Each structure stands twice: as structure tokens, then as C-alpha cells.
Amino acid sequence: MNSFWPGCVLPVQSFLPLLIQQELAMFSRGGRECISLKYSIFLCSAGFLHLGGLRTALYNYIFAKKYGGSFILRLEDTDQSRLVPGAAESIEDMLEWAGIPPDESPRQGGTAGPYLQSQRLDLYSQTAQQLVQSGHAYYCFCSSQRLELLKKEALRTGQTPRYDNRCRHLRLDQVQDKLAQGASHVIRFRLEAGVEPFQDLIFGWNRHEVAQVEGDPVVIKADGFPTYHLANIVDDHYMKISHVLRGSEWLISTSKHLLMYRALGWKPPTFGHLPLLMNKDGSKLSKRQGDIFIQSFQKDGILPEALLDITTNCGSGFNTHRIGRRIDELISEFNPSKITTHSALLDLEKLPEFNRIHLQQQIEDEEQCSLLVKDLQGQIQQVHTTEIQDKEVLHEDYIRRVLHLRKGHISSLKELVSPLYSYLWVRPSFSSQQVAALTAEAQHIASLVLRLIEERGEELSVDRLGKDLKNMAKQTKATKYREVMKLLRLALSGLQVHKHAIYCVFS
């Protein structure tokens, strides 16, 4: 199972109707009543956190914080063949990096645990046996070869592959004999007609007669681990989840889950299915794209605030769609009644602009700017370890001045350690041939620049620099202002063309 979906939990002891039309506000006779809410996320630890999963987590984090709830992380690790070492830990790392850490999780602990499904196997097994004993589930002994033949035949005849429910007709003595012989088996849930309609918080009334189009689903696999269909309803029930928010790809499966709730005599939660996050052309986000994993964005210098902003900006559920919203603003502007059924189209080409705006905001905030300074100090030392000749470039005041000078012009801190800005940290190098190609008056121009600096002293400013340099260029014999500027760029940055170099260095 490769899913990442959240559920909202309203403790049974304080259950009240949830009115999404009024921003999920709770009311009582005495006015608005504040109650305790819980929200949880369920995801497969078979892989690392990607954009779709982050967006689902974000909506639930916002939902929880807006209505005084707890944010719970639950990890699906029941598909042992697809587990990736380190993925579970990475998921929590990335949620913390993104600024939406869970209140309860495998790492944090909590009262609703265990939070790893592999540690809840006894609970799933007991529930499956309860279904078998009540006649709502049965043992299936069909081999993988037979199931593959059924699939091939269905595809050959243009039909949707489905199990033919053969083993649901076995007599009790046949089942007992096979179990006594140690025959490999699974447990399947018996689908029945007569699914009751349910009202989805986002998609409205829904009903899917799954028994007409699907075979009986496996709930306990041959290795004793549960499938998603059983594990999620068992965990939702025992964790007292009353509202589930998950991706719209699970909308059709909800009727199947409701049949299981009815068979167990449990009250089902209220469901809300979030519209999918897709590429700007309407195609599905794919892990094969490689660049949708959160770790990739982190390594590329993308700020978590920018990532959260762009994933909500392209979707619905908020009162505004302005760029530059921080997490506290996302929470305050969140309006569940505005969530639509339309897919959210994500244009990652706009991400640098989002990052530029959030980087500028952080530079203008004294506390956050200090964190940026430390980050940039580390990057400078890493990139220019052996080249730095003046240790002053690592001083906090100098780096802070550079950040303020370039704010609004750079999209990430990584730009400042690129070759384009290396002159800020290391002494530039250039050849006499490069100088000669520009002018024969290099020495004279150098003396004019030194005189300008000496005369202006502390009065030398970026605002007056352009005018001062134009006046200075008039004192040369055969070098035009344009060549003077090219010479200064070369001398100060080692680059032939960099329109900001002169002003950066003089500043």
C-alpha cells in the first residue's frame, strides 16, 4: 500500500455534530463550545515523504491546530516486501523540517499508540477472527497461480480482473481439513449488496455497489499481516477516530469499508476526501519524477514555508490565495467549506518565486535572519573551504549586510555560494590580458577609484555611487564609462558581466 492519508479524531466522550458548512465550528446552547479534536495521518513507510503526502499532512495539521486538536502520525508498515530502510524516520524528520511536527507518533509516543501497524498485529488478527466467526469473512486457499490465471482470462476477454469468490462456498469440514493440513491461506471479507449511501464532507452523497464490480477483498494476507482495508478501520475504531480526511482516490473504497464497519457493529467515522494534487498539465504526480520528494527540495535550498505556501496556493480551502503566507496565516485563513472537488494543479516552475518572497520575509525578521546567517556561514565554509583568505567574510555582520543587500533578488541561499557570487567570499582572479582588452588606462582608473573612496570615506553610498562613477569616468582620456564599469566588474568580481558586483562590493 502506497498511501498517505489523514483522519480526524473526535474523542467519543466529547462527540458533537461536525458542521463543515460553518467551518467545522462547534456550537452549544450557551454559544460556541470548544472541544478537543484529534487528527491522524496514515502513510506507508515503504517510501520517503513526497509532495502529495506533505500536502495531506499539511491540511490535517492546519485543521487540527485551527480547532484545538492533536496531530497524530501513524505509519503503515504491513507490506513487508516494500519497506525502505530509514524511510519511517525520514518521514518524521521531513515533517519536523516542514514545521508541521506530529503531536503523537512513533518517535513522540502518546496515548493512542502503538503508532506502527506492525506492532498491532494481534488486534488485526482478533478482528479478522471475529469476522470469520460471524460469517462475514472466510478462509481462502486459492493459490497465486490460480489467481494469476483468473487475471489473465479476465484481461483476455476485456473484463476487469476480480476474484471469483470460489472459497466462500467451501463447507466447514473442507475448511477445517485444509487448516489442519497447514495449507497456505488468506482471509477474505464477504462483500454483500445493499451498501448504504454516505455523505462525504467534500464530495457529498456517495454510494458504490462494490459487490457488483469487485471480488471479496483479502483482509489478512498469507504472512499474517493485514491489508490496508482491515488495518485502517481497526485502527480508526480503537483510536476513536470520528472524522477521516484522505485523498479522493479512496472515495470508491469507502463503501467497502462501511460494509466492514457494519459487519463489526462499529460506528463508522465521517469521511472527507481531499482533491488530488496534480501537475500543472493535469497529469498525476509520480514518484518516478524524482524531484517530488521533500528531501530533494530541502537539498535544493527550498524553504519549508515556500513549499507549504505553494501546495496550498494551488488548491482550495482558504479565504485567500496570496503568496507569502506563513503557517500561522494558513491556519487563520483555513476554511473547510471552501474545499472543492477540483484537483489542485501544481506549477513547480513558480516555486523559485515563492521561495524568493519567503526568503525576503525571513531576512527582514531579525531572529530568522540570524538563522539564515548561520546557515550561510556553513555553506560558505563548505563550498570555499580552501579559497577563503579573509576570515572577515564569515563574520555575522558582513553576511547579514550581504543578505539585506540581495534580498528580493535571490531565490535561495545557495545562489550566494554559486560562482556568480564567489567574489563576496574569495578574492577574485583575472589576467592582465583581460584588463588590456578593456582599456590601456587601467592604472589611471585604479588611482581614480582609490581617490574616490578616500575622498568620500563614510559618505560613499550605493545611492550616490552611480553618479560618482560617471563623474570619475570623465577624467579618463580614452576610456568610456561603459569600459570603466566593465573594468571595475572584472577587478571586483573576476567576472566579465555582473551588473550587481560593483554595488555589492562597495556596499
Side-chain angles (χ1 to χ4, degrees):
M1 183 58 55
N2 229 352
S3 63
F4 183 87
W5 60 277
C8 325
V9 184
L10 185 65
V12 170
Q13 64 267 28
S14 59
F15 181 84
L16 289 173
L18 196 59
L19 304 176
I20 194 165
Q21 293 82 359
Q22 302 197 9
E23 292 191 43
L24 304 180
M26 302 298 174
F27 295 93
S28 66
R29 288 185 180 180
R32 180 168 294 196
E33 179 176 328
C34 180
I35 65 172
S36 174
L37 299 177
K38 283 187 179 180
Y39 303 84
S40 57
I41 293 183
F42 316 94
L43 55 102
C44 177
S45 55
F48 295 93
L49 186 62
H50 56 81
L51 271 178
L54 178 68
R55 174 176 173 266
T56 307
L58 174 59
Y59 269 76
N60 282 262
Y61 178 89
I62 291 173
F63 200 101
K65 299 309 172 183
K66 188 174 182 74
Y67 300 107
S70 298
F71 184 51
I72 303 176
L73 176 69
R74 189 170 78 205
L75 296 177
E76 294 177 356
D77 60 346
T78 56
D79 190 343
Q80 298 292 292
S81 65
R82 301 181 66 182
L83 294 182
V84 176
E89 293 78 9
S90 174
I91 288 168
E92 292 211 52
D93 289 341
M94 290 300 96
L95 289 177
E96 291 174 4
W97 171 80
I100 51 173
D103 298 304
E104 300 178 31
S105 68
R107 179 180 297 172
Q108 297 293 335
T111 59
Y115 299 92
L116 284 171
Q117 289 187 333
S118 59
Q119 298 175 2
R120 304 169 66 88
L121 297 182
D122 288 345
L123 200 56
Y124 307 135
S125 178
Q126 293 170 11
T127 305
Q129 288 301 318
Q130 181 181 339
L131 289 170
V132 170
Q133 293 169 8
S134 64
H136 291 99
Y138 59 90
Y139 293 98
C140 174
F141 302 93
C142 291
S143 65
S144 57
Q145 292 84 356
R146 180 177 186 274
L147 296 176
E148 184 62 25
L149 287 174
L150 285 176
K151 179 180 178 180
K152 288 182 177 179
E153 179 61 20
L155 294 174
R156 187 186 67 81
T157 57
Q159 300 179 17
T160 302
R162 57 184 291 187
Y163 178 55
D164 60 0
N165 300 342
R166 175 182 180 181
C167 287
R168 72 150 64 183
H169 306 295
L170 291 176
R171 300 190 309 274
L172 179 60
D173 61 307
Q174 292 176 304
V175 172
Q176 292 175 339
D177 287 344
K178 288 182 178 292
L179 291 176
Q181 295 169 12
S184 177
H185 63 274
V186 300
I187 296 179
R188 292 182 180 271
F189 178 73
R190 189 188 297 267
L191 294 178
E192 302 290 353
V195 174
E196 296 179 2
F198 69 95
Q199 187 169 26
D200 188 85
L201 293 175
I202 298 167
F203 282 80
W205 286 102
N206 270 265
R207 178 175 176 270
H208 300 93
E209 279 291 358
V210 286
Q212 295 180 3
V213 295
E214 297 184 31
D216 293 336
V218 174
V219 291
I220 295 290
K221 296 176 289 186
D223 61 2
F225 281 79
T227 62
Y228 167 82
H229 300 297
L230 178 67
N232 90 86
I233 68 165
V234 171
D235 290 340
D236 289 350
H237 173 72
Y238 285 102
M239 289 184 175
K240 297 180 173 63
I241 293 178
S242 64
H243 291 77
V244 172
L245 295 179
R246 57 186 180 187
S248 59
E249 69 269 27
W250 293 106
L251 185 60
I252 294 178
S253 296
T254 304
S255 290
K256 184 188 308 180
H257 301 156
L258 290 174
L259 286 174
M260 294 185 186
Y261 277 107
R262 187 169 69 184
L264 291 164
W266 294 345
K267 180 179 177 60
T270 300
F271 292 93
H273 290 84
L274 297 169
L276 297 179
L277 182 66
M278 310 186 83
N279 292 312
K280 65 177 181 178
D281 61 0
S283 61
K284 290 185 178 180
L285 284 176
S286 172
K287 296 178 183 178
R288 294 184 180 90
Q289 292 174 223
D291 59 352
I292 68 167
F293 290 98
I294 306 307
Q295 284 181 319
S296 297
F297 294 104
Q298 182 189 39
K299 292 177 181 177
D300 288 341
I302 299 299
L303 297 172
E305 294 83 0
L307 208 53
L308 300 185
D309 194 7
I310 194 171
T311 53
T312 51
N313 185 274
C314 69
S316 57
F318 297 87
N319 292 326
T320 72
H321 283 82
R322 58 188 176 84
I323 300 178
R325 296 173 300 176
R326 296 181 294 270
I327 187 63
D328 57 331
E329 295 170 307
L330 289 174
I331 293 171
S332 66
E333 293 182 13
F334 182 59
N335 186 345
S337 66
K338 290 185 176 293
I339 299 177
T340 69
T341 60
H342 304 297
S343 296
L345 302 182
L346 178 65
D347 185 359
L348 286 176
E349 293 181 0
K350 296 180 180 178
L351 185 55
E353 176 63 11
F354 278 80
N355 212 55
R356 182 189 68 81
I357 291 173
H358 281 277
L359 181 57
Q360 180 173 347
Q361 289 178 348
Q362 292 192 9
I363 292 173
E364 292 171 351
D365 181 277
E366 185 174 349
E367 183 176 344
Q368 290 183 315
C369 187
S370 296
L371 297 176
L372 293 176
V373 168
K374 292 180 181 179
D375 187 354
L376 189 52
Q377 282 175 329
Q379 292 190 44
I380 296 167
Q381 290 175 308
Q382 184 178 5
V383 175
H384 300 292
T385 306
T386 60
E387 303 171 279
I388 296 177
Q389 296 171 301
D390 302 311
K391 295 299 181 182
E392 289 81 2
V393 300
L394 294 175
H395 288 179
E396 180 178 344
D397 290 343
Y398 174 75
I399 294 178
R400 189 182 293 270
R401 289 205 311 273
V402 169
L403 287 174
H404 278 278
L405 184 65
R406 300 313 302 145
K407 70 179 180 181
H409 298 280
I410 56 173
S411 296
S412 72
L413 290 185
K414 291 185 69 174
E415 289 184 36
L416 292 177
V417 292
S418 69
L420 193 63
Y421 285 101
S422 62
Y423 64 88
L424 291 171
W425 324 114
V426 299
R427 292 180 183 178
S429 61
F430 50 89
S431 66
S432 58
Q433 289 84 355
Q434 287 176 297
V435 173
L438 293 173
T439 179
E441 298 182 273
Q443 290 295 335
H444 177 53
I445 294 173
S447 64
L448 291 175
V449 171
L450 292 175
R451 186 190 307 167
L452 172 64
I453 295 175
E454 184 179 353
E455 290 177 353
R456 292 297 185 199
E458 294 183 359
E459 295 180 2
L460 187 67
S461 65
V462 174
D463 294 335
R464 294 182 54 181
L465 187 59
K467 184 178 180 180
D468 287 339
L469 291 175
K470 286 182 180 180
N471 291 331
M472 184 195 75
K474 293 177 182 179
Q475 301 176 49
T476 63
K477 296 179 180 179
T479 307
K480 295 181 179 180
Y481 173 72
R482 183 172 61 181
E483 276 64 43
V484 170
M485 295 300 288
K486 287 182 180 180
L487 178 64
L488 290 179
R489 290 188 190 106
L490 180 63
L492 295 173
S493 69
L495 302 172
Q496 295 282 9
V497 179
H498 193 327
K499 64 180 181 180
H500 303 300
I502 296 175
Y503 298 99
C504 284
V505 174
F506 274 98
S507 295

